């Protein structure tokens, strides 16, 4: 069965799937030398894409951890089973799947698409999840009346900031952060849309 179909089942088809979706231990560690503080986000995702001429879809929750250019992304089923762990560092990327050998590549986005059938744009999300364009690449942006990003076109993606959340009181965060982000990749032969909803308590 295609990996994309396996993810779409989200480990609810049979007890066998629950065994297959056991906890996944990341095999790549973060690169040393990144001095930025660690930040964590969580929320829900839904992706719709085309693979081999078929419309596919997958949804669940995610956990995002970043430290500078180091990023770890866990994709989790509605039952709380880890489906995949993606680790991206300056030295390379690794995709860890249940009961399979780790898969490595120089960068993360193509690794995800080759293995899962869809790719969350991890490299761009390092900045987009903070409500800013990615550095070092051309971008077209529009802003709302409060000066926050409304739409962003960059690296073949259209990013829409549908909703924002104000910073929690009593924290070090002083600016609003995205609450819901809709992403669409319209280029090439594989259209892909992704919806991210970030939990209000994410820090």
């Amino acid at each position: 069965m295609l990996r994309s179909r396996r993810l779409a089942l989200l480990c609810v088809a049979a007890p066998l799937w629950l065994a297959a979706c056991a906890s996944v231990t990341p095999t790549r560690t973060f690169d040393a030398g990144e001095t930025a503080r660690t930040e964590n986000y969580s929320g829900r995702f839904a992706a719709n894409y085309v693979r081999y001429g078929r419309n596919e879809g997958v949804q669940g929750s995610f956990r995002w951890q970043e430290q500078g250019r180091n990023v770890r992304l866990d994709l989790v089923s509605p039952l709380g089973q880890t489906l995949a762990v993606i680790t991206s560092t300056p030295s390379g990327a690794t995709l860890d799947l249940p009961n399979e050998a780790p898969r490595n590549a120089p960068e993360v986005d193509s690794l995800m698409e080759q293995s899962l059938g869809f790719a969350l744009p991890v490299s761009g999300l390092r900045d987009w999840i903070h409500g800013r364009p990615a550095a070092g690449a051309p971008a077209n942006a529009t802003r709302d009346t409060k000066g926050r990003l409304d739409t962003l076109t960059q690296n073949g993606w259209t990013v829409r900031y549908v909703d924002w959340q104000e910073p929690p009181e009593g924290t070090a965060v002083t600016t609003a952060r995205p609450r819901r982000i809709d992403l669409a990749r319209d280029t090439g032969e594989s259209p892909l849309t992704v919806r991210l909803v970030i939990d209000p308590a994410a820090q």
Side-chain angles (χ1 to χ4, degrees):
M1 183 179 292
L2 295 176
R3 169 62 59 179
S4 58
R5 301 292 292 175
R6 291 174 62 187
L7 279 175
L9 289 172
L10 293 175
C11 303
V12 298
L16 177 62
W17 282 110
L18 294 179
C21 290
S23 177
V24 179
T25 301
T27 57
R28 178 182 289 272
T29 59
F30 281 178
D31 287 2
E34 294 295 311
T35 59
R37 70 183 182 92
T38 299
E39 297 187 59
N40 295 282
Y41 299 83
S42 63
R44 298 174 301 283
F45 78 95
N48 293 283
Y49 56 101
V50 176
R51 194 181 198 196
Y52 305 126
R54 297 173 60 105
N55 292 322
E56 303 283 355
V58 61
Q59 59 184 337
S61 60
F62 70 88
R63 295 189 293 265
W64 172 284
Q65 183 184 60
E66 65 176 65
Q67 183 201 27
R69 294 174 294 170
N70 294 320
V71 172
R72 178 162 296 132
L73 173 64
D74 293 38
L75 302 180
V76 183
S77 81
L79 296 181
Q81 305 294 331
T82 301
L83 303 174
V85 177
I86 302 96
T87 306
S88 175
T89 72
S91 62
T94 298
L95 174 67
D96 293 295
L97 301 167
N99 303 322
E100 295 189 18
R103 305 183 186 190
N104 299 285
E107 60 89 20
V108 65
D109 293 354
S110 60
L111 176 62
M112 282 189 68
E113 188 139 20
Q114 292 166 7
S115 302
L116 304 180
F118 74 98
L120 300 181
V122 173
S123 55
L125 279 171
R126 289 190 188 98
D127 292 287
W128 301 341
I129 204 169
H130 293 279
R132 64 185 181 231
N140 293 318
T142 63
R143 297 185 179 273
D144 63 17
T145 56
K146 296 183 178 181
R148 305 173 301 195
L149 278 178
D150 186 34
T151 62
L152 173 67
T153 303
Q154 190 173 36
N155 296 332
W157 288 85
T158 298
V159 184
R160 294 182 57 246
Y161 290 86
V162 180
D163 194 18
W164 289 78
Q165 54 185 312
E166 296 301 322
E169 294 184 3
T171 68
V173 180
T174 59
T175 59
R177 292 184 171 181
R179 164 67 171 158
R180 174 178 162 182
I181 307 172
D182 289 356
L183 308 101
R185 186 188 65 192
D186 301 320
T187 58
E189 299 179 355
S190 302
L192 168 64
T193 60
V194 179
R195 182 177 71 250
L196 298 178
V197 179
I198 302 169
D199 292 336
Q203 297 294 320

